[in-house]
Structure formats: structure tokens, C-alpha cells
Amino acid sequence: MRASGRRHFPAQCSRLMNVDAYNSTMTTSQTLPWKRLLAEAVAIVLSILLAFAIDAWWDNRSDSHAEQLLLQRLQADFTDIQSAVLMVEAEHRETSAACVALMSIPEGSQVPTTPEYDRMVALVFLTSRTFNPGMGAAAAFLSSDGSNLADNEALADLLLSWSGLVEELQEEDVFLQEGLSLRWIPFLKSRVNIGPYLAVYPETKVGLPAHIAQPQPRAPLIVDEELVNNVLDRYKLQQIALRDIGSVINAVDEILRLLEGAIDARL
């Protein structure tokens, strides 16, 4: 019987130990600060969520700041472009008017040797103002994520089409420059001393000898069929250039209007 008693003693001890462990666990569980632990867990979760919210807010703030700077730079650039394109348009219109005035002189007559007509001849046969706008912010807009920053779809579309408008006008500038170098300047040189016509412009008059700038007597520039045809050729290209420059002016005006509205909306 003792042997039997010894054989079952370890099992009894095991059951007693299990009971003690259970009682100990229950006691520990009852004494844990569950409210404090729960509060700490909630605080950790909230701090993580707050960090995400701050990051998102900062990203949005950074994007908004970048967009505002882009819009302001675009406004400054296109204000300068507006002044330049209006100056180019004014000279194109003056040249077209000069063409009409020269073609109005009866064939066989002499072009009057007055400062007014000297300028007309110089505009038609010697010069042409080109349009080379600084791209600045527009280039940054086109070459980066600027189109994503401008949330005004109409403004974004105009800015994306801007380079195409400029290229069309510059193509006409190339035709005019080729006309000058290949046809109109050589023609005028074949008829008269071009010194008086170069002297129309202060930058080219400087340093010209008096007998070149104001020769006495002056050889007459006679209006004939060849002269009229050259003037008519220049007039045709001028009208095409004016058509293209009109599109550019309209685009610049609309871009500036939309930029002003977009900037004001963010103030």
C-alpha cells in the first residue's frame, strides 16, 4: 500500500501545483492595471494616426506653396511676354502700313526722300523684329510636374499649347528673315545707297560717315513693277505674321486673366 501511495504522490503534487499556478495567474490578472494599459495602447495608436495626418497636411501645404510660387512666376513671365509681343505686333503693323504706302506711289515716281518715307523703306526692305519670349517658368511648367500643380484645367491647357503658338509665329519670323537676306536687302542695294535708310535706326547710325548717312545728292528710289512686287511679297508675309501674332496675344491675355484668378483664389 505504501508503494501504491508513493506511486500516486507525484500526480497529486502535480494537481496541487496546477491549482496553485491557476490561482497565481488569476491573482496577477486581477491586479494588472488594464485601464492604464488600454489608455497607453490608445495613445500609441492615436500618435501614429496623428503623425500620418501631420505628414499628409505638410505634403498638401508644400504642394500648395509650390503651386502658388509657380503661378506667381508664370504671372511675372507672361506680363513681360505681353509687353514684348505687343511691341512686335506694333512694328509688324507699322511695316504693313509702310508696304501699303509704298505701293500707293504711282509707278515711275520717286519715293520721297523724307524721314517718314526713309523709315518706311527701312522697315520694308531692311529689318524685321523677331519674337523670342523668355520661357522661364513656362519651361519649368512644361518640363516638370507643373501641370499637376495647376488645378485650373483651362490654364493648364493654354500653358501646354503655348510653345506651339510661339513656334508658329517664329516660323513666320524665319520666312521674313530669309526674305530680307535673300531678296529685299539685295534688291535695295541694287537700286540705291542704303546708308540713309540704315541711319533711320540710332544703333546703326552711330559711326556712319556723313556722306553715307546723308549723301548729297541722293540717288532716287524709283517705283517700278519690280519694287512693287518685292513690297507686295513682304506685305503678304506681314499679314500672315500678324494673323499668328494675334493668336499669341489672345493666348497671353487669357493666360494672365486665368493666372490672376488662380492667385486671388489662394489668398
Side-chain angles (χ1 to χ4, degrees), residues 47-63:
S47 65
I48 294 173
L49 293 176
L50 180 60
F52 283 131
I54 291 174
D55 286 343
W57 171 81
W58 183 256
D59 289 341
N60 289 335
R61 185 176 181 273
S62 298
D63 287 346

Side-chain angles (χ1 to χ4, degrees), residues 82-154:
Q82 185 182 53
S83 298
V85 75
L86 289 175
M87 184 181 299
V88 173
E89 184 203 30
E91 186 159 314
H92 279 314
R93 291 197 180 281
E94 185 182 6
T95 303
S96 290
C99 289
V100 173
L102 292 176
M103 289 187 292
S104 299
I105 299 173
E107 288 192 25
S109 301
Q110 177 182 342
V111 176
T113 55
T114 64
E116 181 184 10
Y117 275 94
D118 284 352
R119 179 171 175 80
M120 290 182 189
V121 172
L123 285 170
V124 173
F125 289 97
L126 296 181
T127 62
S128 180
R129 184 179 291 276
T130 57
F131 180 58
N132 295 299
M135 295 300 285
F141 176 90
L142 295 171
S143 63
S144 65
D145 293 332
S147 57
N148 296 327
L149 292 177
D151 57 7
N152 186 310
E153 185 176 349

Side-chain angles (χ1 to χ4, degrees), residues 228-254:
V228 171
N229 284 334
N230 274 281
V231 174
L232 188 58
D233 191 27
R234 176 68 191 261
Y235 178 77
K236 176 191 68 178
L237 293 179
Q238 283 299 138
Q239 295 306 104
I240 296 173
L242 280 171
R243 177 200 65 192
D244 291 342
I245 206 168
S247 299
V248 172
I249 289 172
N250 291 337
V252 171
D253 290 345
E254 183 64 9

Side-chain angles (χ1 to χ4, degrees), residues 70-91:
L70 175 64
L71 294 174
Q72 290 172 348
R73 288 183 58 197
L74 286 168
Q75 186 182 47
D77 281 2
F78 276 95
T79 298
D80 292 339
I81 288 171
Q82 185 182 53
S83 298
V85 75
L86 289 175
M87 184 181 299
V88 173
E89 184 203 30
E91 186 159 314

Side-chain angles (χ1 to χ4, degrees), residues 16 32 37 69 83 98 101 115 119 121 133 146 179 198 206:
L16 289 172
L32 284 175
L37 293 176
L69 287 177
S83 298
R119 179 171 175 80
V121 172
L198 287 175
V206 175

